[in-house]
Amino acid sequence: MRKILTLSRVAAVCSLGVLAVACGSDDSAGETTDAPDAELPTIVVTTNILGDIVTETVGDLAEVRVVMGIGADPHDFAPSARDAETMENADLLVVNGAGFEEGMTDIIEQVESGGTPVFAFADQIELLELDEEHAEDEHADEETSHEDHSGGDPHIWTDPARMASALEAFAVELAGLEGIDPDAVEAQVQAYVDELLALDAEMEATLSTVPDDNRVLVTNHEVFGYFADRFDFAVVGAVIPSLTTGAEPSTAEVEALVALIEQEQIPAIFADTSGSTRLADAIADSAGNDVAVVVLFSESLGEPESGAESYIEMMTTNATLIADALTPA
């Protein structure tokens, strides 16, 4: 399959003297490249998780460019001028949607108004809604939330079965691109859908070791709603009680979470590789009872040899880490 090209890989490519046009001087963490193979349509993808899904689906039928590099926090990512230009020059822009790309909303709208097709994966899925009380708390103070997620939870990729379903609509979008063979699209999409359904079954088997009483999650922020819905877990608390990492928990919220962890004897807090574990560590220390802080790959793929280099590897690793943390010895 064709590799995803992000800024983290540009330096290595330049050192080989290949694709020199990609080697710009912009220092932006999300810098992308331009001038892909002129014979192939160009698909630009916002997040690296979706970038891998699109790359595996498209294969050699198109050139894929990914805006956000490994480790980027999609909630506060600020695109560079070159990123914006690359997005505008795409034959197809692929986004998560549902307000997820908080710092890219204006550019995405500008690209779409300029005539570039935009495909949002969140538009293909019935989004999980916040309960009414939570929705009121989420937007009570504008300083604690960067983006209005009142349309639903945008963290759709934590359920591989939902992503497999969304790929059916993506296949239709791909088949409509000039220069792409619709029959080849159908075959490649189906092959990757089969992989995702196999992943779903593997994750279910891995998580089957967790007893019913332990199927509770405390996470960095509210990112695992779809995972919990699919695999029969309950998200009972979050270090940042919001759908966005841009929010700040109050002292009362932190104290309430510590009390919950103590009362329910929750053994682990699941943090995120894209953000600091400082507050999660402090909450775990306050709760006592040897509460572990387990770092998951929830909003970005991992570096080479991390066990999360692809979407499938990331989901497999997360399921294993969750099962190990919540299964009694």
Side-chain angles (χ1 to χ4, degrees):
M1 292 294 183
R2 185 175 299 276
K3 296 292 185 181
I4 302 174
L5 185 60
T6 59
L7 181 61
S8 61
R9 294 186 174 93
V10 169
V13 173
C14 292
S15 67
L16 296 174
V18 181
L19 202 61
V21 69
C23 308
S25 58
D26 194 331
D27 292 330
S28 168
E31 180 180 354
T32 53
T33 64
D34 35 34
D37 189 334
E39 296 181 358
L40 296 175
T42 307
I43 300 175
V44 176
V45 190
T46 53
T47 75
N48 57 66
I49 293 175
L50 289 181
D52 181 69
I53 291 172
V54 170
T55 298
E56 291 299 315
T57 303
V58 170
D60 293 327
L61 299 177
E63 193 74 29
V64 178
R65 293 286 188 260
V66 180
V67 177
M68 298 184 196
I70 302 301
D73 182 343
H75 292 287
D76 63 9
F77 178 85
S80 69
R82 177 171 288 188
D83 294 331
E85 182 181 3
T86 301
M87 292 164 68
E88 290 171 351
N89 291 332
D91 294 302
L92 174 65
L93 176 62
V94 177
V95 304
N96 186 89
F100 183 65
E101 294 95 339
E102 299 177 31
M104 304 178 73
T105 303
D106 290 345
I107 294 176
I108 292 170
E109 291 176 351
Q110 179 179 331
V111 169
E112 189 167 22
S113 65
T116 300
V118 176
F119 180 87
F121 269 90
D123 289 349
Q124 319 308 322
I125 291 172
E126 184 176 352
L127 300 181
L128 295 178
E129 299 288 342
L130 295 176
D131 61 74
E132 184 176 350
E133 179 181 358
H134 188 166
E136 291 176 356
D137 292 341
E138 175 89 2
H139 307 295
D141 185 349
E142 292 183 359
E143 292 182 358
T144 64
S145 180
H146 289 177
E147 183 70 20
D148 184 355
H149 294 290
S150 57
D153 184 347
H155 303 95
I156 54 178
W157 63 89
T158 61
D159 177 0
R162 281 178 166 92
M163 295 307 294
S165 175
L167 283 174
E168 295 180 9
F170 185 57
V172 175
E173 188 78 30
L174 280 179
L177 287 180
E178 185 176 353
I180 283 191
D181 179 359
D183 292 335
V185 166
E186 182 179 359
Q188 291 192 186
V189 170
Q190 186 57 56
Y192 191 59
V193 165
D194 290 344
E195 289 188 51
L196 294 188
L197 295 179
L199 166 67
D200 180 75
E202 180 183 349
M203 290 176 64
E204 187 169 29
T206 298
L207 295 164
S208 66
T209 63
V210 182
D212 290 345
D213 290 345
N214 283 28
R215 299 179 85 85
V216 295
L217 301 175
V218 173
T219 57
N220 176 59
H221 69 293
E222 295 178 0
V223 65
F224 280 94
Y226 294 94
F227 172 94
D229 183 68
R230 166 62 188 90
F231 297 107
D232 197 23
F233 282 74
V235 180
V236 297
V239 174
I240 302 173
S242 170
L243 291 172
T244 173
T245 56
E248 290 287 343
S250 67
T251 300
E253 287 170 332
V254 171
E255 292 175 348
L257 182 58
V258 170
L260 173 69
I261 293 171
E262 290 177 328
Q263 179 180 341
E264 301 297 330
Q265 296 185 325
I266 295 171
I269 298 172
F270 295 101
D272 180 77
T273 58
S274 297
S276 171
T277 65
R278 179 183 57 81
L279 185 52
D281 290 334
I283 290 172
D285 289 342
S286 297
N289 298 322
D290 296 322
V291 176
V293 175
V294 180
V295 181
L296 303 178
F297 298 89
S298 59
E299 294 194 320
S300 173
L301 300 180
E303 297 287 352
E305 300 184 7
S306 65
E309 295 177 56
S310 70
Y311 173 68
I312 288 177
E313 290 174 324
M314 179 189 82
M315 296 296 288
T316 300
T317 294
N318 284 345
T320 300
L321 291 170
I322 291 170
D324 289 347
L326 299 181
T327 301

